[in-house]
Amino acid sequence: MTPAHPVEKPPMDAEFVDLTADNLADEHLCCIIRTKKAHPGVEAKRRWLSDRLREGHVFRKLNAKGVVFIEYAPLETAWVPVIGDNYYYIYCLWVAGPYKGNGYELLALSFDGTTPQFAHNAKKQRIESQALTVYYDMQCPFVPGNLEMIRQHCEAHGVPADFIEVDTLRKAKELPCVFNNWGVFYKGKFETVNLLDAAALERILKK
């Protein structure tokens, strides 16, 4: 079937914008473009970006009201437990709606045979605490809302929970698990790097 009103795909030579200290307060953050309501994570994300931009973090987006953006940083200053030299770490790559299928190609090329690797501590996948434990940072604007949902659920059901903000590069590099902006442990065991909805949280707590 052919749609009655086909959507014309935008040209990929359209203008892209890098967020800077000068435009950060005014430019929209693409990942929450679909809602017009004030979002609790937006300002937290802006504050996080304000500090990271000075460390070489890049947030590049299509200059349009759409969800087309990429976030990356030099691996040396990326807030993840991955180590290596002369690599960039991609935090997020998101292309949605009519912009999909216009071509992104991700490659890794080493000139000297070295490759990035997870830090030794990231391979532990275990912690001593038996409580539900969430490691997080403010790189994603959906984090604050997810934290609040988990807090409310745990308080209502008497579930011990710890929320540990990763607020320095050192903490990020020393994390005991794979991490982009979120990591969940329960009964000392690593569970997921994904944000949780109520059903996913219940499944973890039933283990």
Side-chain angles (χ1 to χ4, degrees):
M1 296 179 63
T2 302
H5 301 286
V7 177
E8 181 179 353
K9 292 185 177 181
M12 289 312 291
D13 59 354
E15 180 184 359
F16 283 81
V17 175
D18 286 351
L19 296 188
T20 67
D22 294 331
N23 66 16
L24 179 59
D26 301 318
E27 291 288 344
H28 71 80
L29 302 182
C30 303
C31 42
I32 49 91
I33 193 65
R34 289 170 289 181
T35 177
K36 294 182 179 179
K37 296 181 180 179
H39 196 287
V42 173
E43 291 311 312
K45 167 78 172 186
R46 291 191 198 280
R47 288 192 296 271
W48 189 88
L49 278 174
S50 178
D51 292 332
R52 302 291 77 72
L53 292 176
R54 294 192 288 267
E55 300 169 356
H57 186 103
V58 175
F59 188 118
R60 180 166 297 158
K61 67 190 187 74
L62 188 68
N63 190 20
K65 289 292 184 180
V67 183
V68 182
F69 73 98
I70 186 171
E71 283 188 76
Y72 61 92
L75 185 54
E76 293 85 346
T77 57
W79 283 33
V80 292
V82 182
I83 55 178
D85 298 319
N86 297 319
Y87 281 89
Y88 281 100
Y89 178 83
I90 297 176
Y91 284 96
C92 192
L93 172 63
W94 197 345
V95 180
Y99 301 95
K100 294 174 68 173
N102 282 278
Y104 274 98
E105 186 174 5
L106 304 181
L107 300 173
L109 176 64
S110 174
F111 292 101
D112 59 5
T114 62
T115 56
Q117 57 186 317
F118 284 106
H120 178 72
N121 44 274
K123 300 176 183 179
K124 294 179 180 179
Q125 305 290 294
R126 298 195 68 87
I127 59 176
E128 292 185 7
S129 174
Q130 297 296 295
L132 180 74
T133 303
V134 179
Y135 292 90
Y136 70 94
D137 68 28
M138 290 300 173
Q139 189 268 336
C140 174
F142 293 103
V143 163
N146 212 241
L147 286 173
E148 185 59 26
M149 181 276 290
I150 296 172
R151 282 195 181 100
Q152 291 181 5
H153 184 97
C154 290
E155 289 175 2
H157 294 83
V159 177
D162 296 323
F163 302 92
I164 302 174
E165 183 173 5
V166 180
D167 54 6
T168 68
L169 177 62
R170 179 176 177 178
K171 287 182 181 179
K173 293 297 186 186
E174 294 178 350
L175 283 163
C177 63
V178 176
F179 181 88
N180 190 48
N181 51 53
W182 185 265
V184 179
F185 285 80
Y186 187 53
K187 295 182 178 179
K189 181 183 177 182
F190 175 68
E191 292 290 343
T192 184
V193 295
N194 296 321
L195 297 179
L196 303 175
D197 57 21
L201 179 57
E202 283 286 356
R203 286 195 295 271
I204 290 174
L205 295 177
K206 288 180 180 178
K207 292 183 177 181

